[in-house]
Amino acid sequence: MNAPARMVAAGKLLLLGVLALLALAPSEAGVFRWIDSAGHTHYSDRPQPGAQELKLNKLAAPYYYVQRVYDGDTLLLKGDIRVRLLGIDTPEIEGRYRLEQAGGSSARDWLRQRIEGQKVRLEFDQERHDHYQRLLAHVFTVGGEHLNLLLVEEGLAVVSIFPPNFKYGTQLARAQDRAEADRRGLWSMPDYVPQPILAIPREGYQRGWRRYQGTPVAIRSSRKYARLVFSKQVEVRIPQAQLDLFGKLERYLEKQLEVRGWVSRRKENYSILVRHPSGLKLLF
């Protein structure tokens, strides 16, 4: 291969590298170029000393064919790709070892009618996969409808934000406020009416997402968690890593508070893990 041909081939390889970076990088990320001391050109999705950020037009996002909607927040795409919708949670449908939760079929059927057998576009956040190796994504129709957001708007899903995945968090929280105010979907269902949080040790608890109300009386901290204490047996755990999102916890003390999430039990003690302020609501 002569010198001009080698230069053309090298240029093509560099271009392919840039395209690959754009495809793999988060939508907000840039592509940076720099030349090393030997005169070789490099590209990266991370800034380097002396690197130049390239102003490239975004590539058209790929679309994926939806083979199956498992439930309101889980899809199967062509190629055996499982996707979990980011930022939301829908009630469970009936399975081999579980009973259906109220609203589970409604969320699944709504999503099936929208996208099963259709194409969708995916947007990713900081984490690409969960511990089940499902892709984590915000899902959009070909027409641009944000399905995660619409499920919340319709009262078919609740907001469930897992840091560091904050994309669209503000929009999702506002959509949930609207759905709750209008009593749409699960916000009007008896299963999700708030229960007294102090009644949990006496009356037990139901699995799945629930709403509880009570008054925290103390704050305790450990290396891993800050805790809003409601009684000797009941508390809300907030990871220290996310504590800055909540501001001063003292503002919750001695006030009526609604806690939204999943109850866990350890011996005779009960707790609700809250990772994001959308899981707590001051009642006035």
Side-chain angles (χ1 to χ4, degrees):
M1 185 183 295
N2 57 33
R6 285 197 297 271
M7 292 177 64
V8 170
K12 289 181 177 178
L13 287 174
L14 286 173
L15 177 60
L16 288 173
V18 173
L19 296 177
L21 284 170
L22 283 172
L24 293 173
S27 58
E28 305 87 355
V31 174
F32 300 87
R33 177 179 62 192
W34 75 97
I35 300 175
D36 64 21
S37 58
H40 299 132
T41 302
H42 302 271
Y43 294 92
S44 175
D45 61 340
R46 298 183 179 181
Q48 305 289 331
Q52 174 191 8
E53 184 174 3
L54 302 180
K55 303 299 182 183
L56 300 174
N57 293 328
K58 288 186 177 180
L59 298 178
Y63 285 89
Y64 301 87
Y65 179 80
V66 179
Q67 286 189 330
R68 181 181 175 189
V69 171
Y70 286 120
D71 55 31
D73 53 37
T74 314
L75 317 175
L76 179 67
L77 305 180
K78 185 177 181 180
D80 199 31
I81 302 170
R82 292 186 301 156
V83 177
R84 175 64 164 81
L85 275 64
L86 265 173
I88 69 169
D89 189 83
T90 60
E92 298 287 350
I93 61 171
E94 184 176 357
R96 192 171 185 179
Y97 301 108
R98 64 174 182 264
L99 297 174
E100 178 168 337
Q101 296 170 353
S105 292
S106 298
R108 178 200 60 197
D109 295 345
W110 183 93
L111 197 57
R112 276 181 175 173
Q113 292 173 5
R114 289 292 183 116
I115 59 170
E116 198 165 70
Q118 307 295 319
K119 290 184 177 180
V120 295
R121 175 173 65 85
L122 306 182
E123 277 191 27
F124 303 106
D125 206 337
Q126 296 300 308
E127 296 176 328
R128 287 295 185 98
H129 296 88
D130 64 9
H131 60 284
Y132 297 112
Q133 292 305 305
R134 299 176 297 189
L135 271 178
L136 299 172
H138 289 273
V139 181
F140 295 80
T141 66
V142 173
E145 293 179 308
H146 186 184
L147 294 168
N148 310 50
L149 187 64
L150 286 176
L151 281 159
V152 175
E153 287 267 17
E154 296 295 327
L156 299 169
V158 296
V159 175
S160 181
I161 295 174
F162 278 60
N165 302 306
F166 295 112
K167 182 180 281 190
Y168 298 113
T170 299
Q171 294 94 319
L172 290 169
R174 289 174 179 169
Q176 179 165 276
D177 288 342
R178 293 191 294 271
E180 181 181 2
D182 294 340
R183 295 182 55 79
R184 292 196 291 268
L186 62 84
W187 299 102
S188 65
M189 295 181 182
D191 289 57
Y192 304 110
V193 170
Q195 301 297 316
I197 198 167
L198 294 182
I200 294 174
R202 182 177 67 254
E203 299 176 4
Y205 67 97
Q206 293 178 303
R207 295 188 181 277
W209 183 89
R210 291 291 185 271
R211 303 162 66 193
Y212 294 95
Q213 292 181 358
T215 303
V217 296
I219 297 171
R220 292 190 307 157
S221 291
S222 64
R223 181 182 60 84
K224 193 171 182 180
Y225 296 105
R227 293 172 166 85
L228 288 171
V229 179
F230 291 79
S231 72
K232 289 183 179 180
Q233 292 178 273
V234 181
E235 64 185 19
V236 167
R237 292 180 294 132
I238 300 172
Q240 292 284 359
Q242 280 90 56
L243 193 56
D244 287 347
L245 300 174
F246 293 80
K248 291 186 178 296
L249 292 186
E250 286 77 8
R251 69 192 182 97
Y252 296 117
L253 286 179
E254 304 295 342
K255 295 180 181 177
Q256 276 290 307
L257 182 65
E258 182 170 302
V259 183
R260 299 166 174 183
W262 294 260
V263 175
S264 60
R265 177 181 178 179
R266 185 175 182 181
K267 296 183 179 179
E268 298 304 316
N269 298 313
Y270 300 84
S271 67
I272 301 174
L273 177 62
V274 176
R275 297 181 175 88
H276 188 267
S278 57
L280 299 177
K281 182 179 180 180
L282 280 169
L283 305 176
F284 299 100

